[in-house]
Amino acid sequence: MSYKKWVVADADKDTASVLSEKLNIDPFIAFLLVTRGIKDELTASEFISDSCRFVSPLSFKDMDKAVSRINLALDNCEKICVFGDYDCDGVTATALLVSFLESLGADVFYYIPDRITDGYGMNFKAIDYIKECGTKLIITVDNGISAFDEAKYIYSLGMELVVTDHHQIDKRLPEAEAVVNPHREDNDLTFKSYSGVGVAFKLACALYDGDVDEMIEQYADLVAIGTIGDVVSLKSENRELVKAGLRLISDNSRIGVCALKSVAGCDNNVSAGAVAFQLCPRINAAGRMDRASIAVELLLSDDYEDACFKAEQLNTENTHRHEVENNIIKALDGQIAKNPFLIQDRVIVLAGDGFHKGVVGICAAHIAEKYGKPAIVLGIDENGEATGSARSIEGFNIFDAIMSCRSLLSHFGGHPLAAGLGLNADDIDEFRLQINNFAELNYPVMPVQTLNIDCKLSPFYLNTDLVESLELLEPYGADNLQPIFGLYNFTLMSVTPIGEGRHVRLEITKKNKAVRVVKFKTTVDDIPYKVGDNIDLAVKLSENFYKGKKFLSVQAVDIRKSGIDYDRYFNEKSQYELFKLGKLDSAVVYPDRDACSYIYRFLKQNNGWNFSIDDLYFELCSKITYGQLNYALEAFIQSGLITLNDSVVLNKVTEKKDLEGTDILKSLKGRLKID
């Protein structure tokens, strides 16, 4: 289990008080706005209102050129292909633009690349097919900004190209009639964090040249789904579009979305969270497990029976995706249990035969979150080729790390927090060595992950009234996360398995106030605390409805033991990392006889240890340092006292062991000049 540094937000209470009075809002909500950097009356008013000043789509560079070329295609009845992408953003952008162009009478079709056979973005095989269909104009959505060679090929075949994309721009642009991208430096834009479907919506608005409110009523649901799915900033226009889109989704305005809601089990009052965790995964599952065009067909459907059939297909694919994902994670956990040193690397590299390419990214994210380190998961095919995905942590540029190993790679691409790559399976061990050498050189101390806490809460504030007041901050998403509250020094009363043992419910108390808390994707065996321990919890709050009554739902995001000096913990952990690299010499890491006796005595009293080394440190930190614990355990292993896999197992010993004679302690003594 990885531990994060909790950072409680610091806000000016006087500023919050003024904001509360001027806007006539709850003082607590005003305080939360200020913690999010929303401090002046105008900004706060726009944030909480249901109206927004939409910039003209012509503020995008080349938008006028895109409109001109598309209108020419409409006038001349040219066949148009909308070239999309297989993720939620690309799917909704494709559906939006195809639907809009059809409403204008266009001869239009779409092409979504296959994740497995085509890969990301444009490719020559797809372009050949599009040409064979009689296409004159290709319009990209959510891709195309880096398709330099493909763009030239399009023109060599006598077709023309309009690019709409939202990804970061290289120093050059692809050959095209127009390149519409919010990140162009020559745009007249202050807000640039549009999703791919957001850019497609602005193009449709420019082509329509009418009332933006009418366009919102037609397409905001698609914009909301794609914007939430792509985790872009929920500020400015995105916030208003998502608000409007959630209203449309709740009102069942689109047949395909209504059918998808039904199979996903959504109620009528749909939140951004429901879209993110119930609708988007089902749309994404099509591109991960089969073909994303099924999802486009669903969103374009005007027949409810057909829509229900396709929604069931997506639901089945999502179930299949869950099964495949869980099987891979079980396999990865098994690898780690057999070789726990894999997770001691700075960058965790795991691989397995037949791992599905469509879900290795999700599995890498799971490993990165669990261990607080960058993780790469590779699937090896029958030809001995390994293809995988990387997910990183804040402060560690995984793209740079992978690029440092490029001599071993057949392909790679990505950005600081996520990347894809391929290599020969025989080179995996060398790749693991090289990428960790890069990490040791450039990140001698790994970045500490933080968890931002909006504020500390007394147990007496935990009620449904608080949740209702928080609704003013919705919708939640990137740059406007759901508030996280700190519950400090609560006594653990019970731990109960729920959901067939996949989750747990904790009962905690403080000042005679009992609170029930759910921790998802956590089993009873994962909880390192016993009844009677005092714990801190970082929680999210929501409402549940049962038999017409409202109940408070408290979900734990993180749990830690109370009374620990966590600054000291992170500092000692950094010292240990630096010491191992030879960049620091300090006797505080050396486990003397008393330290070793103290640690081993605790292990004997507890018949070993079934949780993480960090959890063991929290039990013992009053008398030892982090470095002492780790080097003592290494000495115990070398002497045969313990076996370390995913837990500390005590070995049966019949004779006294000479710990000071172990290689590790002799080495430490020599280095530190200890007699």
Side-chain angles (χ1 to χ4, degrees):
M1 179 178 177
S2 170
Y3 282 91
K4 297 180 179 180
K5 186 173 186 177
W6 292 14
V7 179
V8 180
D10 184 20
D12 187 331
K13 294 182 179 179
D14 291 337
T15 301
S17 179
V18 170
L19 210 58
S20 171
E21 290 182 13
K22 288 187 175 181
L23 297 179
N24 193 28
I25 58 175
D26 187 307
F28 185 63
I29 300 302
F31 176 82
L32 292 178
L33 287 172
V34 174
T35 66
R36 288 152 194 255
I38 302 171
K39 301 178 180 180
D40 63 270
E41 183 180 356
L42 178 60
T43 306
S45 178
E46 289 181 345
F47 185 85
I48 64 177
S49 73
D50 287 332
S51 61
C52 176
R53 293 171 291 178
F54 286 91
V55 300
S56 167
L58 297 178
S59 298
F60 286 76
K61 184 69 175 177
D62 276 8
M63 185 67 84
D64 56 340
K65 295 179 181 178
V67 169
S68 178
R69 182 60 187 88
I70 295 169
N71 279 332
L72 180 64
L74 294 170
D75 292 341
N76 294 336
C77 298
E78 295 175 355
K79 183 175 281 290
I80 302 171
C81 176
V82 175
F83 195 104
D85 187 28
Y86 43 68
D87 69 359
C88 193
D89 189 17
V91 163
T92 51
T94 302
L96 186 154
L97 196 55
V98 168
S99 176
F100 177 73
L101 291 174
E102 284 180 342
S103 73
L104 300 181
D107 181 6
V108 60
F109 73 108
Y110 63 89
Y111 186 95
I112 302 280
D114 183 279
R115 180 189 292 266
I116 306 300
T117 60
D118 289 331
Y120 171 76
M122 305 191 84
N123 62 87
F124 297 111
K125 179 183 174 183
I127 293 169
D128 286 337
Y129 169 78
I130 292 168
K131 173 64 177 175
E132 291 171 5
C133 293
T135 304
K136 293 293 185 181
L137 177 65
I138 299 174
I139 308 172
T140 72
V141 289
D142 194 33
N143 73 98
I145 198 64
S146 59
F148 306 111
D149 294 337
E150 293 83 357
K152 287 182 179 179
Y153 188 59
I154 287 169
Y155 278 86
S156 75
L157 297 178
M159 296 183 289
E160 293 183 334
L161 175 67
V162 168
V163 172
T164 76
D165 200 351
H166 73 120
H167 294 99
Q168 293 294 327
I169 295 178
D170 197 359
K171 294 178 181 178
R172 57 186 176 132
L173 298 176
E175 181 181 355
E177 302 306 295
V179 177
V180 180
N181 187 308
H183 296 292
R184 288 187 62 164
E185 292 182 358
D186 46 2
N187 286 321
D188 184 22
L189 298 171
T190 54
F191 179 77
K192 299 183 178 183
S193 298
Y194 294 92
S195 59
V197 69
V199 178
F201 175 76
K202 299 299 281 193
L203 173 61
C205 289
L207 285 163
Y208 182 64
D209 194 26
D211 185 356
V212 68
D213 290 337
E214 185 177 338
M215 294 297 288
I216 288 173
E217 286 301 313
Q218 290 293 321
Y219 300 110
D221 55 344
L222 297 178
V223 179
I225 294 170
T227 298
I228 293 169
D230 215 53
V231 200
V232 293
S233 175
L234 285 196
K235 288 186 175 180
S236 189
E237 290 189 18
N238 285 349
R239 181 171 171 80
E240 179 56 29
L241 286 167
V242 168
K243 277 186 176 182
L246 292 175
R247 289 192 291 269
L248 292 180
I249 294 169
S250 297
D251 291 342
N252 297 324
S253 63
R254 189 177 303 273
I255 289 174
V257 175
C258 179
L260 190 61
K261 279 175 54 184
S262 179
V263 299
C266 293
D267 57 29
N268 285 330
N269 187 22
V270 177
S271 66
V275 172
F277 296 108
Q278 292 175 272
L279 302 187
C280 290
R282 287 168 170 79
I283 293 173
N284 278 326
R288 291 186 184 279
M289 309 305 297
D290 192 4
R291 55 185 183 90
S293 56
I294 299 174
V296 180
E297 292 166 11
L298 169 68
L299 297 177
L300 292 175
S301 179
D302 57 6
D303 179 273
Y304 189 67
E305 288 188 10
D306 172 70
C308 288
F309 175 74
K310 288 183 169 61
E312 286 290 352
Q313 284 183 290
L314 293 191
N315 200 49
T316 300
E317 292 294 353
N318 192 51
T319 301
H320 182 211
R321 189 266 301 171
H322 269 298
E323 293 170 352
V324 172
E325 177 189 331
N326 289 336
N327 288 336
I328 293 176
I329 289 173
K330 285 180 182 178
L332 297 177
D333 288 342
Q335 288 183 26
I336 293 167
K338 290 180 181 178
N339 185 5
F341 295 102
L342 287 169
I343 59 171
Q344 292 183 15
D345 286 341
R346 277 170 165 69
V347 180
I348 301 171
V349 179
L350 304 168
D353 292 332
F355 286 177
H356 197 292
K357 295 179 183 179
V359 300
V360 288
I362 301 174
C363 298
H366 169 83
I367 297 295
E369 174 64 23
K370 183 174 182 179
Y371 296 104
K373 297 180 178 182
I376 299 172
V377 176
L378 300 158
I380 304 171
D381 66 20
E382 62 277 7
N383 299 316
E385 291 297 316
T387 304
S389 291
R391 296 294 183 270
S392 194
I393 58 176
E394 287 291 340
F396 187 101
N397 191 318
I398 193 65
F399 179 75
D400 285 351
I402 289 172
M403 189 167 63
S404 74
C405 309
R406 57 186 174 274
S407 63
L408 296 173
L409 306 178
S410 58
H411 67 273
F412 68 95
H415 54 77
L417 289 177
L421 68 156
L423 71 161
N424 190 291
D426 293 337
D427 293 328
I428 291 175
D429 288 341
E430 179 62 24
F431 171 74
R432 181 184 291 112
L433 177 65
Q434 286 192 19
I435 200 167
N436 275 286
N437 286 341
F438 171 90
E440 286 187 6
L441 180 64
N442 294 277
Y443 299 89
V445 174
M446 290 293 283
V448 173
Q449 299 307 288
T450 59
L451 178 65
N452 294 319
I453 309 289
D454 286 84
C455 70
K456 299 178 181 180
L457 271 189
S458 161
F460 300 103
Y461 282 95
L462 293 170
N463 53 54
T464 55
D465 290 340
L466 173 59
V467 177
E468 289 176 3
S469 69
L470 292 173
E471 291 176 0
L472 196 62
L473 299 177
E474 295 187 22
Y476 300 125
D479 291 335
N480 183 44
L481 299 176
Q482 184 176 352
I484 296 177
F485 302 106
L487 307 181
Y488 287 78
N489 202 29
F490 278 69
T491 302
L492 179 63
M493 303 303 293
S494 66
V495 181
T496 306
I498 57 175
E500 299 178 343
R502 293 170 297 163
H503 320 296
V504 293
R505 183 175 64 239
L506 312 179
E507 184 166 343
I508 58 175
T509 62
K510 184 177 181 179
K511 297 179 180 179
N512 296 320
K513 170 77 172 180
V515 181
R516 284 186 170 183
V517 182
V518 173
K519 183 76 167 68
F520 292 114
K521 295 183 179 179
T522 301
T523 69
V524 171
D525 292 337
D526 294 330
I527 301 294
Y529 315 112
K530 59 185 181 296
V531 170
D533 282 349
N534 288 343
I535 56 176
D536 304 333
L537 303 96
V539 302
K540 293 179 179 179
L541 308 178
S542 59
E543 283 181 338
N544 276 343
F545 290 86
Y546 182 69
K547 293 185 177 181
K549 292 184 178 181
K550 291 185 294 186
F551 295 91
L552 176 70
S553 175
V554 184
Q555 176 190 342
V557 177
D558 200 10
I559 307 173
R560 66 185 195 181
K561 193 168 186 177
S562 299
I564 302 294
D565 184 345
Y566 285 94
D567 286 336
R568 175 193 157 196
Y569 157 69
F570 288 114
N571 183 54
E572 289 184 0
K573 198 169 185 179
S574 296
Q575 287 179 337
Y576 172 64
E577 289 183 1
L578 289 170
F579 186 88
K580 286 197 300 178
L581 293 177
K583 296 180 179 293
L584 176 72
D585 281 334
S586 174
V588 298
V589 303
Y590 181 77
D592 59 19
R593 184 187 299 273
D594 289 342
C596 289
S597 297
Y598 175 62
I599 296 166
Y600 190 68
R601 190 162 55 248
F602 178 88
L603 292 174
K604 287 195 71 173
Q605 290 171 351
N606 289 272
N607 195 29
W609 186 252
N610 293 322
F611 306 103
S612 74
I613 302 304
D614 289 24
D615 289 314
L616 179 57
Y617 166 79
F618 297 141
E619 295 293 327
L620 303 171
C621 61
S622 63
K623 294 185 179 179
I624 62 166
T625 68
Y626 190 85
Q628 286 177 321
L629 172 61
N630 280 271
Y631 280 124
L633 292 176
E634 196 168 338
F636 293 167
I637 293 170
Q638 290 183 3
S639 67
L641 287 173
I642 67 170
T643 299
L644 181 65
N645 40 48
D646 58 344
S647 61
V648 179
V649 179
L650 294 176
N651 296 331
K652 290 183 178 180
V653 292
T654 57
E655 57 186 19
K656 191 173 182 179
K657 299 293 183 178
D658 178 19
L659 289 178
E660 293 187 357
T662 58
D663 290 342
I664 184 61
L665 292 193
K666 286 193 296 184
S667 174
L668 289 175
K669 277 186 173 183
R671 177 175 168 183
L672 296 170
K673 297 180 173 56
I674 296 174
D675 294 331

